[in-house]
Amino acid sequence: MIRIFGILAGLFFSLSVLWAFISGAIAVAPVLGEYGQFTEPMADKVFHEKHPPALHLQSDGPFGTWDLAQLQRGFQVYKEVCAACHSLKFVAFRDLEELGYDKGQVKTIAAGFQVPGVDPNTGEATTRPGMPTDYFPSPYPNETAAKAANNNAVPPDLSLMAKARHGGPAYIHAILTGYGPEPEALKQQFPDFKVPSTGHYNKYFPSLAIAMPPPLTAEGQVSYAEGQPKPTIEQMSTDVSAFLEWTAEPKKVKRTQTGWPVLGFLLFATILAYLAKKQVWAALKPKKKHTA
């Protein structure tokens, strides 16, 4: 009876996995364009969106580790470029110690930001220099101000962006490097396509038109310390993408490093349980009858 129940349970699980795979394939198939490029509707038309190219980081894979130097460069790009429009509301200044900064450096970094506060004398809302226990503030006092400064578009918070977008860091890197003029081939294929006056063409963004202007526009826009890679647009985009992967999943490397000993223990426990089972049931096995 137990064997039959186990077989039925395994069959049910297998069929569930197969059904999930088939359902996913059916859902994705209609939006796949030529050469596997995704398509997105815009203005009742369908325009091609190039799939972000792969981005290889040191943190990739089951044995990945954080490249602290790269994460510090990525934070520098965020602080000097991205922080003008985007917040990191789920990241505290003290979390930067995980990137290799000491307490004094973290205190200095925090003091360079203005965070919301309250005047102790009047009780009115004000701002004050940040402290290590504070979280990265929004550059705008409220959503209305954010819309007014960005053509009625609110810049998204970047804390979890690497988890919120398909492709993660590769998507972020692709967006930062995907700006350019509209290709003539696109205009010929879709004569009605036109990037809005308040938008910018980006070959990796769904609908190909993005409200955000190019944040990284020139080599050396951020000055790296001596001995660091040359701050090209490609390098700066890669570094800030790696940093945003860390903000979205700061425990990623620790989790994978912890997982290997756990898997080893489970394997050992499985083998031990199997041997115990053999030992316990050995005496209850029916003896073979010897025939003359």
Side-chain angles (χ1 to χ4, degrees), residues 28-231:
V28 171
V31 298
L32 284 177
E34 188 178 6
Y35 304 114
Q37 294 179 343
F38 287 93
T39 57
E40 286 289 340
M42 174 183 175
D44 299 327
K45 299 289 184 179
V46 176
F47 299 103
H48 290 278
E49 170 207 350
K50 290 190 175 181
H51 191 67
L55 178 66
H56 301 289
L57 301 173
Q58 185 174 306
S59 56
D60 294 341
F63 300 101
T65 58
W66 295 122
D67 184 342
L68 297 185
Q70 182 176 57
L71 296 184
Q72 289 188 10
R73 294 194 304 269
F75 169 65
Q76 185 180 353
V77 174
Y78 166 78
K79 184 176 67 172
E80 298 184 19
V81 179
C82 308
C85 299
H86 299 275
S87 60
L88 284 177
K89 63 181 180 181
F90 296 119
V91 182
F93 292 110
R94 61 185 174 187
D95 295 334
L96 296 178
E97 291 184 28
E98 297 180 19
L99 305 188
Y101 295 105
D102 59 37
K103 293 184 181 297
Q105 290 174 314
V106 170
K107 189 174 181 179
T108 301
I109 292 171
F113 287 80
Q114 292 293 314
V115 301
V118 176
D119 190 323
N121 298 318
T122 63
E124 296 180 352
T126 183
T127 58
R128 58 173 176 78
M131 298 186 296
T133 53
D134 292 319
Y135 287 76
F136 280 84
S138 170
Y140 306 103
N142 50 58
E143 186 174 304
T144 303
K147 288 183 177 180
N150 295 277
N151 296 314
N152 206 38
V154 180
D157 179 81
L158 297 182
S159 304
L160 304 176
M161 188 58 64
K163 296 290 288 183
R165 297 292 185 271
H166 177 71
Y171 172 84
I172 297 171
H173 175 266
I175 292 297
L176 293 175
T177 57
Y179 290 92
E182 301 172 41
E184 290 298 326
L186 179 66
K187 295 179 182 179
Q188 294 174 5
Q189 185 179 3
F190 301 105
D192 296 337
F193 175 78
K194 184 179 180 182
V195 176
S197 58
T198 57
H200 305 270
Y201 174 78
N202 191 303
K203 62 184 177 182
Y204 295 116
F205 190 75
S207 79
L208 305 180
I210 186 172
M212 179 178 69
L216 299 173
T217 57
E219 181 179 303
Q221 185 173 343
V222 175
S223 298
Y224 286 167
E226 186 177 354
Q228 296 296 320
K230 192 175 182 179

Side-chain angles (χ1 to χ4, degrees), residues 22-31:
I22 295 175
S23 301
I26 294 174
V28 171
V31 298

